[in-house]
Amino acid sequence: MELFHSFALIHDDLMDDSDTRRDPLALHRLLTDRHCDSYRPDAAASRFGAAAAC
Protein backbone atom coordinates (compact mmCIF):
# COMPACT_ATOMS: atom_id res chain seq x y z
CA MET A 1 0.00 0.00 0.00
CA GLU A 2 2.89 2.37 0.82
CA LEU A 3 4.42 1.79 -2.61
CA PHE A 4 1.13 2.58 -4.34
CA HIS A 5 0.75 5.77 -2.27
CA SER A 6 4.28 6.90 -3.18
CA PHE A 7 3.60 6.24 -6.85
CA ALA A 8 0.37 8.25 -6.65
CA LEU A 9 2.18 11.26 -5.14
CA ILE A 10 4.94 11.12 -7.76
CA HIS A 11 2.36 10.81 -10.54
CA ASP A 12 0.35 13.72 -9.13
CA ASP A 13 3.44 15.98 -9.10
CA LEU A 14 4.25 14.96 -12.65
CA MET A 15 0.74 15.60 -13.96
CA ASP A 16 0.49 18.97 -12.17
CA ASP A 17 4.02 19.90 -13.26
CA SER A 18 4.76 20.78 -9.64
CA ASP A 19 8.25 21.96 -8.76
CA THR A 20 8.10 20.86 -5.14
CA ARG A 21 6.51 18.28 -2.87
CA ARG A 22 6.06 20.26 0.34
CA ASP A 23 9.52 21.87 0.62
CA PRO A 24 11.91 19.53 -1.25
CA LEU A 25 12.00 19.23 -5.02
CA ALA A 26 9.53 16.90 -6.66
CA LEU A 27 11.15 13.68 -7.90
CA HIS A 28 10.95 14.56 -11.60
CA ARG A 29 12.56 17.98 -10.93
CA LEU A 30 15.30 16.39 -8.83
CA LEU A 31 16.08 13.89 -11.60
CA THR A 32 16.06 16.67 -14.21
CA ASP A 33 18.55 18.70 -12.17
CA ARG A 34 20.83 15.69 -11.70
CA HIS A 35 20.70 14.98 -15.43
CA CYS A 36 21.68 18.60 -16.17
CA ASP A 37 24.57 18.35 -13.70
CA SER A 38 25.87 15.11 -15.21
CA TYR A 39 25.27 15.85 -18.87
CA ARG A 40 24.79 18.94 -20.95
CA PRO A 41 21.47 20.65 -20.20
CA ASP A 42 19.01 20.53 -23.06
CA ALA A 43 15.35 19.86 -23.76
CA ALA A 44 15.88 16.14 -23.22
CA ALA A 45 16.64 16.73 -19.53
CA SER A 46 13.01 17.44 -18.65
CA ARG A 47 11.87 14.40 -20.61
CA PHE A 48 14.48 12.31 -18.78
CA GLY A 49 13.19 13.56 -15.42
CA ALA A 50 9.59 12.75 -16.30
CA ALA A 51 10.40 9.32 -17.72
CA ALA A 52 12.64 8.35 -14.80
CA ALA A 53 10.01 9.40 -12.26
CA CYS A 54 7.44 7.12 -13.86
Side-chain angles (χ1 to χ4, degrees):
M1 192 54 106
E2 286 288 325
L3 186 61
F4 179 74
H5 184 251
S6 296
F7 169 77
L9 291 175
I10 293 167
H11 188 269
D12 180 57
D13 289 342
L14 188 60
M15 292 294 105
D16 293 342
D17 200 28
S18 299
D19 289 333
T20 60
R21 163 69 44 196
R22 304 212 176 150
D23 282 334
L25 284 176
L27 181 63
H28 66 284
R29 295 290 183 210
L30 178 68
L31 293 171
T32 298
D33 289 351
R34 288 191 179 172
H35 185 270
C36 288
D37 291 343
S38 299
Y39 304 100
R40 108 188 127 114
D42 57 4
S46 63
R47 291 193 310 264
F48 172 80
C54 290

